[in-house]
Amino acid sequence: MEASTPGPVFEDYEPTAECGCAGCADGRRLRLLPVRDGGHPAANGGARRALVAATAASMVLGAGTVAAAAPVPASDGPGANRAADPGPPTEQGSTSGLHGAPGHAAHGPEKPRPTTRAEIINRAKTWVAATVPYDMETYWTDGYRQDCSGYVSMAWDLGTNEWTGSLAEYGVRVTKDELQPGDMLLFHNPGNPTKGSHVVIFGGWTDYTHSYYTAYEQTPPGTRKQATPYAYWKNSANYLPYRYKGLTAGSSGAVPAVDHTADTGAGSGSTAFPGADKFGPGADNSYVTRLGQMLVARGAGRFYTQGPGPRWGTADLNATRAFQQAQGWTGADADGIPGARTWALLVQGTGKNIPPAAPAPAGAVPAVAPTGGAQAARPAYPGPSLFRTGQSGPYVTRLGRQLVLKGFGSYYTSGPGPRWGEADRRNVEAFQRAQGWRGAEADGYPGPETWRRLFA
């Protein structure tokens, strides 16, 4: 899995200027105690005093003496007893009811209401538009905690503030292929919940390879929406996809109107042709994204190195023209700008699909893309299977030549040539590390993002 931008900072969050003494360590653990009964961590003074008392008592016992752990009286009624640390600390806080305005008591949990995918995405967008600051001890005006799990609780309309350890109870497991807008990708680290645990809302695939998707998430410094490698920038293998149990009838398998950065109004999901003015140079709207997605479904995936997206580009023009030519149209009827006939065939799923590209002649090496040349000159990513031990072909040679051109050919003692070898892998690894990637993201095997950057 590859990355193009740094991941969220909170995943590696560590307090500054930490002291290693026992007193400071206890202080840090107190700050991480989960919120109880909807209370704010700062108001949980009883539990803090209880834990301090327990710590002091253990110090009096002296070295070499082991005391049995005993419940510490809590401050919420006579005879009530609780463990000093009732649960694992987490950066997302713990389960609680919604919170009112400052100075007002929190109100209790509400029964999660049925919802649709479109409503989930629309709620997620409200925090993106407001750029809600990330804070695991603060609550937004809607009563939800301003961290990743509070954000998903809000988008799913749960009526409570959940955390990464409880959100799975509100969903059902699905596969990667079944993911649709409004589902969530969840990583809960049970061994150490404060390290890496995170959750995002899945907003839809950004490319036909299903290697990138739009993620809605709450992460420092605030809510964001951006293209993200599947399943995430870090700890990718640990993220699990879930679908909200409360989706209303008919919404569990239906994708809502296309989600875009620049929506043009309620009509963006309509099947009616929006007009030629919505397409072409300078166009930036939801219809362009929808057009691209329909074209990809009809065989135009090879024209998009990323996206489809709301901004009109060369990929949209070439993909549209290819679809028009597949219908047998020529001249002005195949100019790459969709008209009413093109649109009708796409939304109805009729007409002929775009035929696959003609295979390159055996032994041919793709032409070298000129430095700073047009994106169209970049060779399409041929897939991961060509870059494995025992494989041989022109794309291996092309990859090696581009690595040398970029200054990453130091491991070649001869060549590069058509047979994949350890020198190729190590040169690719060096290039990946130069992008700031580590671990599985820099394994030496070129994926779509490595290929895109290498030939950019």
Side-chain angles (χ1 to χ4, degrees), residues 318-399:
N318 292 335
T320 303
R321 179 183 290 126
F323 179 75
Q324 292 167 334
Q325 291 173 342
Q327 314 313 308
W329 305 343
T330 58
D333 292 331
D335 59 359
I337 303 297
R341 286 195 300 165
T342 301
W343 186 263
L345 292 177
L346 288 170
V347 298
Q348 295 167 9
T350 56
K352 297 179 180 179
N353 289 339
I354 299 171
V365 177
V368 176
T371 303
Q375 178 174 308
R378 182 191 308 154
Y381 176 61
S385 62
L386 299 181
F387 308 105
R388 293 294 185 268
T389 303
Q391 294 298 310
S392 180
Y395 280 100
V396 178
T397 305
R398 181 70 192 92
L399 172 76

Side-chain angles (χ1 to χ4, degrees), residues 145-166:
R145 194 174 53 245
Q146 295 171 207
D147 56 26
C148 66
S149 52
Y151 178 57
V152 172
S153 299
M154 178 275 300
W156 275 14
D157 198 22
L158 299 184
T160 59
N161 281 290
E162 300 301 322
W163 70 302
T164 56
S166 62

Side-chain angles (χ1 to χ4, degrees), residues 71-366:
V72 180
S75 60
D76 52 354
N81 288 285
R82 291 181 179 174
D85 191 352
T90 169
E91 290 189 1
Q92 291 83 48
S94 65
T95 303
S96 71
L98 298 187
H99 280 239
H104 291 72
H107 57 84
E110 301 174 359
K111 183 179 179 181
R113 295 183 292 272
T115 190
T116 65
R117 293 188 180 281
E119 289 170 339
I120 291 174
I121 294 299
N122 286 337
R123 281 191 292 268
K125 286 181 178 180
T126 61
W127 279 30
V128 174
T131 318
V132 176
Y134 177 90
D135 193 325
M136 67 180 183
E137 295 184 350
T138 304
Y139 301 85
W140 193 237
T141 55
D142 54 17
Y144 286 96
R145 194 174 53 245
Q146 295 171 207
D147 56 26
C148 66
S149 52
Y151 178 57
V152 172
S153 299
M154 178 275 300
W156 275 14
D157 198 22
L158 299 184
T160 59
N161 281 290
E162 300 301 322
W163 70 302
T164 56
S166 62
L167 277 170
E169 300 172 9
Y170 294 85
V172 292
R173 280 286 304 277
V174 295
T175 66
K176 175 184 177 182
D177 293 336
E178 294 172 329
L179 272 169
Q180 295 184 33
D183 296 339
M184 75 172 176
L185 288 167
L186 171 68
F187 168 36
H188 176 63
N189 183 2
N192 184 1
T194 66
K195 187 65 176 176
S197 296
H198 192 47
V199 62
V200 305
I201 290 290
F202 178 84
W205 298 110
T206 63
D207 59 11
Y208 74 99
T209 66
H210 287 191
S211 57
Y212 273 76
Y213 66 98
T214 298
Y216 291 85
E217 62 179 325
Q218 181 69 357
T219 185
T223 321
R224 73 180 183 185
K225 167 195 172 185
Q226 72 170 30
T228 303
Y230 186 85
Y232 200 66
W233 304 101
K234 298 180 180 179
N235 302 307
S236 178
N238 296 311
Y239 280 77
L240 301 176
Y242 288 87
R243 176 164 298 154
Y244 178 49
K245 291 179 179 178
L247 282 175
T248 55
S251 67
S252 61
V255 180
V258 181
D259 172 49
H260 325 286
T261 303
D263 287 326
T264 59
S268 61
S270 171
T271 58
F273 178 56
D277 60 320
K278 295 295 190 292
F279 308 101
D284 187 350
N285 57 69
S286 62
Y287 296 106
V288 176
T289 308
R290 188 177 183 201
L291 171 73
Q293 291 176 335
M294 291 190 295
L295 287 166
V296 167
R298 302 298 295 274
R302 68 178 182 271
F303 295 100
Y304 293 90
T305 55
Q306 59 183 4
R311 185 178 296 278
W312 179 268
T314 304
D316 301 293
L317 178 72
N318 292 335
T320 303
R321 179 183 290 126
F323 179 75
Q324 292 167 334
Q325 291 173 342
Q327 314 313 308
W329 305 343
T330 58
D333 292 331
D335 59 359
I337 303 297
R341 286 195 300 165
T342 301
W343 186 263
L345 292 177
L346 288 170
V347 298
Q348 295 167 9
T350 56
K352 297 179 180 179
N353 289 339
I354 299 171
V365 177

